[in-house]
């Protein structure tokens, strides 16, 4: 097994992750002798687990909640994207160093591209102020679009905007209708709408007809938020597009080859989601 290239996804919990099925399908299609497995690690065990994986010959890991900020802090070097976002979802184990990257940014761009978003069409509304929101704000700032951040805690949203040098408008949840006026892009970067969480409820009927509604949640794949948007005839993008988009550069970093375009991973992952209780 010495020739097998190994990587994985680390989180707490991690059993729900779709990444092993996706990466394994790509490995099979490319013809690489490799393994990609889930690794459960509690926050207090994160650093030790990372070092054990590197010592065991892993090429690197994807990092999911709640470890993304800890991953950046642990790394010896980091990409501009990871530093700007303040979090890393990819760690690549180099000869003597650990390198951090944030491909969530790539995934967000992929989802927006699939949704047909054009940066120059108007303001963007970002719901949330956590780690996922940081990656989204990085994309929006780079696109030079006016940003309005809506969050339960306006103070936290203001801290996020300042930390990333973004002159965003800040709104509490009660002011969300005002924030939505004239917006061409709405991004849900919270867990609202995720299975087991309350739904995200916003008056989407006040949006322009050409607005794009993007929900990072993918369990369920069609959240109530997206269902509402589609019923109104609005364009939508879902969290599965982001998941696949962020995984492509990670696969190449771990296994040295680009993802094969022919692999129908979206259909496979949709089927996997439908089969979950």
């Amino acid at each position: 097994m010495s020739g097998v290239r190994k990587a994985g996804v680390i989180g707490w919990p991690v059993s729900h992750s779709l990444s092993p099925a996706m990466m394994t399908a790509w490995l099979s299609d490319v013809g690489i002798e490799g393994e990609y497995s889930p690794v459960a690690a509690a926050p207090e065990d994160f650093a030790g687990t990372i070092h054990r994986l590197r010592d065991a010959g892993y090429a690197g890991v994807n990092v999911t909640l709640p470890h993304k900020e800890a991953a950046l802090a642990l790394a010896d070097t980091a990409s501009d994207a990871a530093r700007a976002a303040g979090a890393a979802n990819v760690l690549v184990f180099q000869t003597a160093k650990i390198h951090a990257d944030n491909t969530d940014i790539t995934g967000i761009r992929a989802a927006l591209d699939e949704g047909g978003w054009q940066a120059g069409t108007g303001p963007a509304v970002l719901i949330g102020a956590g780690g996922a929101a940081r990656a989204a704000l990085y994309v929006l700032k780079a696109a030079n679009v006016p940003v309005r951040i809506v969050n339960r805690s306006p103070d936290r949203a203001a801290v996020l905007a300042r930390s990333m040098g973004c002159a965003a408008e800040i709104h509490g949840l009660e002011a969300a209708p005002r924030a939505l006026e004239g917006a061409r892009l709405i991004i849900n970067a919270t867990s609202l709408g995720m299975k087991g969480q309350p739904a995200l409820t916003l008056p989407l009927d006040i949006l322009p007809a050409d607005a794009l509604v993007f929900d990072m949640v993918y369990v369920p794949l069609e959240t109530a938020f997206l269902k509402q948007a589609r019923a109104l005839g609005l364009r939508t993008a879902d969290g599965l597009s982001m998941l696949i988009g962020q995984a492509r550069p990670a696969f190449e970093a771990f296994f040295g080859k680009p993802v094969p375009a022919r692999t129908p991973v979206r259909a496979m992952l949709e089927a996997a989601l439908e089969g979950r209780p």
Side-chain angles (χ1 to χ4, degrees):
M1 295 290 286
S2 59
V4 175
R5 197 162 176 84
K6 295 182 289 186
V9 55
I10 185 168
W12 187 257
V14 76
S15 59
H16 66 285
S17 176
L18 295 174
S19 293
M22 178 168 47
M23 294 289 198
T24 299
W26 283 337
L27 283 168
S28 177
D29 237 15
V30 174
I32 294 175
E33 190 177 4
E35 294 178 357
Y36 186 96
S37 54
V39 180
E44 61 271 20
D45 297 327
F46 176 71
T49 302
I50 289 296
H51 290 302
R52 285 193 294 275
L53 293 174
R54 183 178 63 173
D55 292 346
Y58 274 61
V61 290
N62 285 107
V63 181
T64 189
L65 295 175
H67 301 313
K68 293 185 180 183
E69 292 182 3
L72 178 62
L74 183 65
D76 300 294
T77 61
S79 67
D80 290 343
R83 282 194 294 266
N89 73 311
V90 172
L91 292 177
V92 179
F93 303 152
Q94 300 172 336
T95 303
K97 294 183 177 181
I98 298 174
H99 180 71
D101 199 1
N102 190 312
T103 65
D104 282 339
I105 289 166
T106 304
I108 290 167
R109 286 176 174 150
L112 295 179
D113 287 346
E114 286 183 27
W117 179 62
Q118 298 294 322
T121 56
V125 175
L126 176 61
I127 314 297
R134 290 188 70 91
L137 189 56
Y138 179 91
V139 173
L140 297 175
K141 183 185 175 187
N144 197 30
V145 297
V147 179
R148 305 163 184 172
I149 304 177
V150 175
N151 194 56
R152 182 178 290 107
S153 167
D155 289 345
R156 186 177 181 189
V159 169
L160 169 63
R162 284 197 303 270
S163 71
M164 298 191 68
C166 180
E169 292 181 19
I170 307 299
H171 300 267
L173 282 177
E174 72 285 350
R178 188 167 72 250
L180 293 179
E181 291 177 359
R184 260 48 181 201
L185 172 64
I186 315 298
I187 300 176
N188 177 28
T190 75
S191 61
L192 291 174
M194 187 180 295
K195 185 177 180 180
Q197 298 292 325
L200 175 61
T201 304
L202 294 174
L204 299 181
D205 55 339
I206 68 175
L207 291 173
D210 62 347
L212 171 66
V213 177
F214 169 36
D215 196 336
M216 292 187 185
V217 172
Y218 62 83
V219 180
L221 186 56
E222 183 177 61
T223 60
F225 188 56
L226 286 187
K227 188 174 183 178
Q228 177 191 2
R230 288 168 182 157
L232 292 167
L234 300 172
R235 293 177 297 153
T236 61
D238 60 41
L240 200 53
S241 295
M242 176 180 168
L243 178 73
I244 296 168
Q246 65 80 29
R248 292 178 183 275
F251 180 90
E252 187 165 358
F254 300 151
F255 299 110
K257 289 188 178 181
V259 169
R262 64 184 179 273
T263 313
V265 290
R266 184 177 177 97
M268 179 190 70
L269 296 180
E270 286 180 356
L273 287 171
E274 288 176 3
R276 290 188 173 183

